[in-house]
Amino acid sequence: MNHHIWDAYSKSYLNIQKNPASFQLSLMNMLRFNEAEEILDAGCAGGQLHQYILQQRKNTCKLTACDFSLQMVKVAATRMLKFLNNPLSGEIMEISPLEIENVDLNCPLLEQNNYKIFQGDVQSLTQLNNNQFDIYISNMVIHLVENKNQAIQEAFRVLKPGGKIGIVIPVASGNLLMATMTKCFMQCGLIQNMPFKPTDIETREEMISFIKKYGFTDILCWNQTIPFDLYDIDNNYIFPQFKEILEKAPQEQVDQFYAFFKEEVQNRLNQNLPFTVEGLCLIAKKPL
Protein backbone atom coordinates (compact mmCIF):
# COMPACT_ATOMS: atom_id res chain seq x y z
CA MET A 1 0.00 0.00 0.00
CA ASN A 2 1.56 3.31 -1.06
CA HIS A 3 1.88 6.49 0.97
CA HIS A 4 -0.63 8.40 -1.21
CA ILE A 5 -3.46 6.23 0.14
CA TRP A 6 -2.48 6.99 3.71
CA ASP A 7 -1.98 10.70 2.89
CA ALA A 8 -5.60 10.90 1.73
CA TYR A 9 -6.74 8.96 4.78
CA SER A 10 -4.73 10.90 7.36
CA LYS A 11 -7.40 13.09 8.97
CA SER A 12 -10.20 10.51 9.16
CA TYR A 13 -7.75 7.84 10.39
CA LEU A 14 -7.61 9.66 13.73
CA ASN A 15 -11.15 8.45 14.41
CA ILE A 16 -9.98 4.85 14.07
CA GLN A 17 -6.58 5.27 15.69
CA LYS A 18 -8.00 6.37 19.02
CA ASN A 19 -9.31 2.84 19.62
CA PRO A 20 -6.13 0.79 18.95
CA ALA A 21 -4.34 3.42 21.04
CA SER A 22 -5.54 1.35 24.00
CA PHE A 23 -3.04 -1.33 22.99
CA GLN A 24 -0.28 1.25 23.06
CA LEU A 25 -1.27 2.48 26.52
CA SER A 26 -0.71 -1.02 27.91
CA LEU A 27 2.67 -1.20 26.22
CA MET A 28 3.76 2.20 27.50
CA ASN A 29 2.90 1.34 31.07
CA MET A 30 4.98 -1.84 30.86
CA LEU A 31 7.88 -0.26 28.95
CA ARG A 32 8.34 2.39 31.68
CA PHE A 33 8.71 5.48 29.51
CA ASN A 34 9.65 7.52 32.59
CA GLU A 35 13.04 5.74 32.71
CA ALA A 36 14.03 6.34 29.06
CA GLU A 37 16.40 8.92 27.60
CA GLU A 38 15.25 8.50 23.98
CA ILE A 39 12.01 7.05 22.62
CA LEU A 40 11.06 6.25 19.02
CA ASP A 41 7.45 5.96 17.83
CA ALA A 42 7.89 4.16 14.50
CA GLY A 43 4.80 4.56 12.33
CA CYS A 44 3.14 7.16 14.52
CA ALA A 45 0.23 8.07 12.18
CA GLY A 46 -1.49 11.15 13.67
CA GLY A 47 0.50 11.04 16.91
CA GLN A 48 -2.55 10.05 18.94
CA LEU A 49 -0.57 9.50 22.16
CA HIS A 50 2.37 11.86 21.83
CA GLN A 51 1.01 14.35 24.35
CA TYR A 52 0.54 11.46 26.78
CA ILE A 53 4.14 10.34 26.23
CA LEU A 54 5.43 13.87 26.83
CA GLN A 55 3.58 13.98 30.14
CA GLN A 56 4.97 10.61 31.25
CA ARG A 57 8.62 10.98 30.21
CA LYS A 58 11.45 12.82 31.94
CA ASN A 59 11.89 16.42 30.77
CA THR A 60 15.27 15.55 29.28
CA CYS A 61 13.93 12.53 27.35
CA LYS A 62 13.79 12.94 23.56
CA LEU A 63 10.73 11.71 21.67
CA THR A 64 11.29 10.98 17.99
CA ALA A 65 8.48 9.92 15.69
CA CYS A 66 8.10 9.03 12.03
CA ASP A 67 5.47 7.84 9.60
CA PHE A 68 5.40 6.62 6.00
CA SER A 69 2.82 9.29 5.12
CA LEU A 70 3.96 12.91 5.08
CA GLN A 71 0.38 14.02 5.65
CA MET A 72 0.19 11.87 8.80
CA VAL A 73 3.42 13.49 9.98
CA LYS A 74 1.94 16.94 9.41
CA VAL A 75 -1.21 16.04 11.34
CA ALA A 76 0.86 14.74 14.28
CA ALA A 77 3.11 17.83 14.33
CA THR A 78 0.12 20.21 14.15
CA ARG A 79 -1.60 18.45 17.03
CA MET A 80 1.59 18.47 19.09
CA LEU A 81 2.17 22.20 18.49
CA LYS A 82 -1.37 22.94 19.62
CA PHE A 83 -0.78 20.90 22.75
CA LEU A 84 2.56 22.55 23.51
CA ASN A 85 1.22 26.06 22.97
CA ASN A 86 -1.60 25.54 25.45
CA PRO A 87 -2.06 22.07 26.97
CA LEU A 88 -5.20 23.05 28.87
CA SER A 89 -7.13 24.88 26.16
CA GLY A 90 -9.42 23.49 23.48
CA GLU A 91 -9.82 20.12 21.81
CA ILE A 92 -6.59 18.87 20.30
CA MET A 93 -8.47 17.28 17.40
CA GLU A 94 -9.81 20.67 16.28
CA ILE A 95 -7.16 21.55 13.74
CA SER A 96 -7.82 23.02 10.32
CA PRO A 97 -6.56 21.76 6.94
CA LEU A 98 -4.67 25.05 6.57
CA GLU A 99 -2.87 24.53 9.88
CA ILE A 100 -1.89 21.03 8.81
CA GLU A 101 -0.68 22.11 5.39
CA ASN A 102 1.45 24.98 6.74
CA VAL A 103 2.91 23.27 9.79
CA ASP A 104 6.66 23.67 10.30
CA LEU A 105 8.17 20.29 11.14
CA ASN A 106 11.31 22.09 12.34
CA CYS A 107 9.50 24.56 14.55
CA PRO A 108 11.76 25.67 17.45
CA LEU A 109 8.96 24.89 19.92
CA LEU A 110 9.16 21.20 19.00
CA GLU A 111 12.93 21.18 19.43
CA GLN A 112 12.68 23.00 22.76
CA ASN A 113 10.42 20.21 24.00
CA ASN A 114 12.74 17.44 22.77
CA TYR A 115 10.26 16.38 20.07
CA LYS A 116 11.25 15.51 16.52
CA ILE A 117 9.08 14.10 13.74
CA PHE A 118 9.87 13.20 10.14
CA GLN A 119 8.61 11.21 7.17
CA GLY A 120 10.30 7.84 7.25
CA ASP A 121 9.97 4.18 6.36
CA VAL A 122 10.30 1.70 9.25
CA GLN A 123 12.01 -0.68 6.81
CA SER A 124 14.91 1.75 6.30
CA LEU A 125 15.45 4.33 9.03
CA THR A 126 18.59 5.86 7.54
CA GLN A 127 17.96 9.12 9.42
CA LEU A 128 18.62 7.35 12.72
CA ASN A 129 21.82 6.13 14.34
CA ASN A 130 22.81 2.68 15.56
CA ASN A 131 22.16 2.10 19.28
CA GLN A 132 20.23 5.36 19.64
CA PHE A 133 16.97 4.59 21.48
CA ASP A 134 15.99 3.13 24.84
CA ILE A 135 12.49 2.31 23.58
CA TYR A 136 11.12 1.49 20.13
CA ILE A 137 7.34 1.38 19.96
CA SER A 138 5.27 0.54 16.90
CA ASN A 139 1.50 0.17 17.21
CA MET A 140 -0.45 -1.53 14.39
CA VAL A 141 2.33 -0.93 11.84
CA ILE A 142 4.55 -3.98 11.26
CA HIS A 143 1.77 -5.95 9.57
CA LEU A 144 1.39 -3.19 6.95
CA VAL A 145 4.98 -3.07 5.71
CA GLU A 146 6.16 -5.05 2.71
CA ASN A 147 9.32 -6.40 4.35
CA LYS A 148 8.58 -7.20 8.00
CA ASN A 149 11.99 -8.84 8.46
CA GLN A 150 13.78 -5.67 7.43
CA ALA A 151 11.58 -3.56 9.70
CA ILE A 152 12.46 -5.64 12.77
CA GLN A 153 16.15 -5.64 11.82
CA GLU A 154 16.01 -1.85 11.73
CA ALA A 155 14.30 -1.79 15.13
CA PHE A 156 17.12 -3.93 16.54
CA ARG A 157 19.75 -1.68 14.96
CA VAL A 158 18.47 1.62 16.33
CA LEU A 159 17.88 0.28 19.86
CA LYS A 160 20.61 0.59 22.48
CA PRO A 161 21.87 -2.62 24.07
CA GLY A 162 19.33 -3.26 26.83
CA GLY A 163 16.73 -1.22 24.94
CA LYS A 164 13.14 -2.41 24.69
CA ILE A 165 10.84 -2.96 21.71
CA GLY A 166 7.06 -2.78 22.06
CA ILE A 167 4.90 -3.74 19.08
CA VAL A 168 1.27 -4.59 18.37
CA ILE A 169 -0.18 -6.33 15.34
CA PRO A 170 -3.84 -7.20 14.73
CA VAL A 171 -5.12 -10.76 14.87
CA ALA A 172 -7.24 -11.30 11.75
CA SER A 173 -9.45 -13.95 13.35
CA GLY A 174 -10.16 -11.66 16.31
CA ASN A 175 -11.00 -8.51 14.33
CA LEU A 176 -14.79 -8.42 14.45
CA LEU A 177 -15.00 -5.03 12.75
CA MET A 178 -12.91 -6.11 9.76
CA ALA A 179 -14.77 -9.43 9.53
CA THR A 180 -18.13 -7.63 9.51
CA MET A 181 -17.03 -5.24 6.76
CA THR A 182 -15.75 -8.19 4.73
CA LYS A 183 -19.05 -10.02 5.14
CA CYS A 184 -20.97 -6.97 3.90
CA PHE A 185 -18.67 -6.54 0.90
CA MET A 186 -19.23 -10.16 -0.03
CA GLN A 187 -23.01 -9.88 0.43
CA CYS A 188 -23.23 -7.11 -2.15
CA GLY A 189 -20.85 -8.84 -4.57
CA LEU A 190 -17.94 -6.41 -4.33
CA ILE A 191 -15.39 -9.08 -3.32
CA GLN A 192 -15.17 -12.87 -3.36
CA ASN A 193 -13.05 -13.24 -0.24
CA MET A 194 -10.95 -11.33 2.27
CA PRO A 195 -9.10 -8.61 0.29
CA PHE A 196 -6.51 -7.90 2.96
CA LYS A 197 -4.98 -10.21 5.52
CA PRO A 198 -3.03 -8.18 8.07
CA THR A 199 -0.34 -10.78 8.72
CA ASP A 200 0.41 -14.50 8.76
CA ILE A 201 1.12 -14.22 12.48
CA GLU A 202 -1.99 -15.23 14.40
CA THR A 203 -0.74 -16.80 17.64
CA ARG A 204 1.55 -15.98 20.56
CA GLU A 205 3.85 -18.80 19.53
CA GLU A 206 4.22 -17.40 16.01
CA MET A 207 4.81 -13.88 17.35
CA ILE A 208 7.48 -15.02 19.80
CA SER A 209 9.21 -17.14 17.16
CA PHE A 210 9.18 -14.19 14.75
CA ILE A 211 10.84 -11.75 17.15
CA LYS A 212 13.38 -14.28 18.47
CA LYS A 213 14.90 -14.62 14.99
CA TYR A 214 16.38 -11.14 15.25
CA GLY A 215 18.15 -11.59 18.55
CA PHE A 216 15.60 -10.16 20.98
CA THR A 217 15.35 -11.70 24.45
CA ASP A 218 13.25 -11.33 27.65
CA ILE A 219 10.07 -11.59 25.59
CA LEU A 220 6.58 -10.95 26.96
CA CYS A 221 3.67 -11.57 24.58
CA TRP A 222 -0.08 -11.47 25.16
CA ASN A 223 -3.42 -11.26 23.39
CA GLN A 224 -5.46 -8.15 24.11
CA THR A 225 -9.00 -7.30 23.02
CA ILE A 226 -10.40 -3.78 22.88
CA PRO A 227 -13.84 -2.32 22.13
CA PHE A 228 -14.41 -0.17 19.07
CA ASP A 229 -16.91 2.68 19.42
CA LEU A 230 -18.64 2.33 16.05
CA TYR A 231 -22.01 4.08 16.13
CA ASP A 232 -22.08 6.16 12.94
CA ILE A 233 -21.76 4.81 9.41
CA ASP A 234 -19.48 7.10 7.46
CA ASN A 235 -16.20 7.01 5.56
CA ASN A 236 -14.22 7.75 8.71
CA TYR A 237 -14.53 4.09 9.64
CA ILE A 238 -13.90 2.54 6.23
CA PHE A 239 -10.33 1.25 6.15
CA PRO A 240 -8.18 2.31 3.15
CA GLN A 241 -8.16 -1.13 1.53
CA PHE A 242 -11.98 -1.14 1.57
CA LYS A 243 -12.30 2.50 0.57
CA GLU A 244 -10.38 1.78 -2.64
CA ILE A 245 -12.94 -0.87 -3.55
CA LEU A 246 -15.89 1.43 -2.86
CA GLU A 247 -14.43 4.24 -4.94
CA LYS A 248 -14.36 1.97 -8.00
CA ALA A 249 -17.73 0.27 -7.44
CA PRO A 250 -21.12 1.09 -9.04
CA GLN A 251 -23.26 3.32 -6.81
CA GLU A 252 -25.91 0.62 -6.44
CA GLN A 253 -23.42 -1.78 -4.85
CA VAL A 254 -21.99 0.99 -2.66
CA ASP A 255 -25.49 1.74 -1.36
CA GLN A 256 -26.06 -1.99 -0.76
CA PHE A 257 -22.85 -2.22 1.24
CA TYR A 258 -23.81 0.67 3.51
CA ALA A 259 -27.29 -0.78 4.01
CA PHE A 260 -25.86 -4.17 5.01
CA PHE A 261 -23.22 -2.60 7.23
CA LYS A 262 -25.73 -0.30 8.94
CA GLU A 263 -27.88 -3.32 9.74
CA GLU A 264 -24.89 -5.18 11.24
CA VAL A 265 -24.01 -2.19 13.40
CA GLN A 266 -27.59 -1.82 14.59
CA ASN A 267 -27.76 -5.53 15.46
CA ARG A 268 -24.66 -5.09 17.59
CA LEU A 269 -26.06 -2.02 19.31
CA ASN A 270 -29.33 -3.83 20.00
CA GLN A 271 -27.28 -6.33 22.00
CA ASN A 272 -25.54 -3.48 23.87
CA LEU A 273 -22.21 -4.77 22.53
CA PRO A 274 -19.36 -2.92 20.82
CA PHE A 275 -17.38 -4.34 17.95
CA THR A 276 -14.07 -5.70 19.18
CA VAL A 277 -10.56 -5.79 17.77
CA GLU A 278 -7.88 -8.22 18.97
CA GLY A 279 -4.17 -7.56 18.93
CA LEU A 280 -0.99 -9.46 19.69
CA CYS A 281 1.16 -7.32 21.98
CA LEU A 282 4.85 -7.94 22.54
CA ILE A 283 7.67 -6.48 24.60
CA ALA A 284 11.27 -7.66 24.27
CA LYS A 285 14.84 -6.49 24.92
CA LYS A 286 17.97 -6.08 22.83
CA PRO A 287 20.69 -7.97 24.73
CA LEU A 288 23.43 -6.03 26.51
Side-chain angles (χ1 to χ4, degrees), residues 32-96:
R32 299 187 180 181
F33 276 30
N34 60 310
E35 298 176 2
E37 298 295 338
E38 288 205 45
I39 299 166
L40 174 64
D41 184 0
C44 67
Q48 186 74 32
L49 290 178
H50 287 175
Q51 63 268 29
Y52 177 84
I53 296 173
L54 262 63
Q55 290 172 325
Q56 298 298 313
R57 67 172 187 177
K58 296 185 291 188
N59 289 336
T60 55
C61 175
K62 296 178 181 178
L63 171 59
T64 301
C66 67
D67 196 85
F68 189 51
S69 160
L70 178 58
Q71 200 63 23
M72 292 278 197
V73 168
K74 288 182 175 181
V75 169
T78 307
R79 294 175 68 248
M80 185 52 55
L81 283 169
K82 180 166 186 173
F83 170 73
L84 292 172
N85 274 310
N86 195 340
L88 301 180
S89 175
E91 169 54 51
I92 202 164
M93 300 289 279
E94 293 174 356
I95 53 177
S96 70

Side-chain angles (χ1 to χ4, degrees), residues 3 6-7 10 13 17 40-47 50 64-74 76 116-122 125 127 138-141 144:
H3 64 85
W6 288 102
D7 284 347
S10 58
Y13 184 66
Q17 191 193 14
L40 174 64
D41 184 0
C44 67
H50 287 175
T64 301
C66 67
D67 196 85
F68 189 51
S69 160
L70 178 58
Q71 200 63 23
M72 292 278 197
V73 168
K74 288 182 175 181
K116 179 181 179 181
I117 189 165
F118 64 93
Q119 182 183 19
D121 185 345
V122 297
L125 295 169
Q127 304 91 334
S138 198
N139 187 52
M140 293 292 198
V141 175
L144 294 171

Side-chain angles (χ1 to χ4, degrees), residues 6-277:
W6 288 102
D7 284 347
Y9 197 52
S10 58
K11 193 73 183 292
S12 59
Y13 184 66
L14 290 175
N15 291 322
I16 290 177
Q17 191 193 14
K18 65 183 179 182
N19 296 82
S22 299
F23 293 131
Q24 201 166 352
L25 279 167
S26 297
L27 283 174
M28 288 195 297
N29 290 335
M30 294 178 71
L31 288 167
R32 299 187 180 181
F33 276 30
N34 60 310
E35 298 176 2
E37 298 295 338
E38 288 205 45
I39 299 166
L40 174 64
D41 184 0
C44 67
Q48 186 74 32
L49 290 178
H50 287 175
Q51 63 268 29
Y52 177 84
I53 296 173
L54 262 63
Q55 290 172 325
Q56 298 298 313
R57 67 172 187 177
K58 296 185 291 188
N59 289 336
T60 55
C61 175
K62 296 178 181 178
L63 171 59
T64 301
C66 67
D67 196 85
F68 189 51
S69 160
L70 178 58
Q71 200 63 23
M72 292 278 197
V73 168
K74 288 182 175 181
V75 169
T78 307
R79 294 175 68 248
M80 185 52 55
L81 283 169
K82 180 166 186 173
F83 170 73
L84 292 172
N85 274 310
N86 195 340
L88 301 180
S89 175
E91 169 54 51
I92 202 164
M93 300 289 279
E94 293 174 356
I95 53 177
S96 70
L98 188 61
E99 286 177 300
I100 295 169
E101 187 57 36
N102 294 328
V103 68
D104 179 6
L105 300 181
N106 298 307
C107 177
L109 183 60
L110 297 179
E111 184 177 353
Q112 290 163 17
N113 285 274
N114 291 318
Y115 179 87
K116 179 181 179 181
I117 189 165
F118 64 93
Q119 182 183 19
D121 185 345
V122 297
Q123 299 166 102
S124 180
L125 295 169
T126 55
Q127 304 91 334
L128 305 176
N129 298 326
N130 295 348
N131 308 319
Q132 182 175 348
F133 296 95
D134 299 284
I135 294 173
Y136 173 108
I137 187 166
S138 198
N139 187 52
M140 293 292 198
V141 175
I142 298 300
H143 61 287
L144 294 171
V145 304
E146 186 176 347
N147 192 328
K148 299 173 182 60
N149 298 327
Q150 197 168 310
I152 298 301
Q153 287 170 353
E154 277 292 86
F156 191 89
R157 178 184 69 81
V158 301
L159 274 172
K160 296 175 183 176
K164 300 174 187 176
I165 185 172
I167 58 177
V168 181
I169 61 169
V171 176
S173 60
N175 191 330
L176 183 58
L177 183 58
M178 184 74 81
T180 302
M181 285 188 183
T182 301
K183 173 186 172 183
C184 294
F185 268 90
M186 294 175 72
Q187 278 182 297
C188 60
L190 283 170
I191 60 172
Q192 298 301 313
N193 49 41
M194 184 73 170
F196 172 75
K197 186 177 180 184
T199 175
D200 292 329
I201 301 172
E202 281 285 296
T203 67
R204 288 182 61 255
E205 291 74 20
E206 289 169 337
M207 185 72 154
I208 293 167
S209 177
F210 172 66
I211 207 73
K212 269 186 176 178
K213 290 191 298 184
Y214 305 100
F216 286 101
T217 60
D218 298 343
I219 299 168
L220 295 175
C221 183
W222 67 97
N223 291 72
Q224 187 169 331
T225 302
I226 58 167
F228 205 100
D229 66 334
L230 183 60
Y231 291 93
D232 299 312
I233 307 302
D234 56 45
N235 285 331
N236 288 342
Y237 290 100
I238 305 300
F239 298 99
Q241 60 272 22
F242 286 129
K243 195 170 183 179
E244 283 186 285
I245 297 171
L246 287 175
E247 287 172 351
K248 298 173 183 176
Q251 189 60 44
E252 182 181 354
Q253 283 181 298
V254 173
D255 292 341
Q256 281 183 332
F257 164 75
Y258 277 104
F260 287 138
F261 193 36
K262 186 173 183 178
E263 183 179 353
E264 291 287 344
V265 172
Q266 192 56 54
N267 288 340
R268 200 78 183 157
L269 293 177
N270 289 343
Q271 300 175 64
N272 306 112
L273 288 171
F275 284 92
T276 52
V277 178

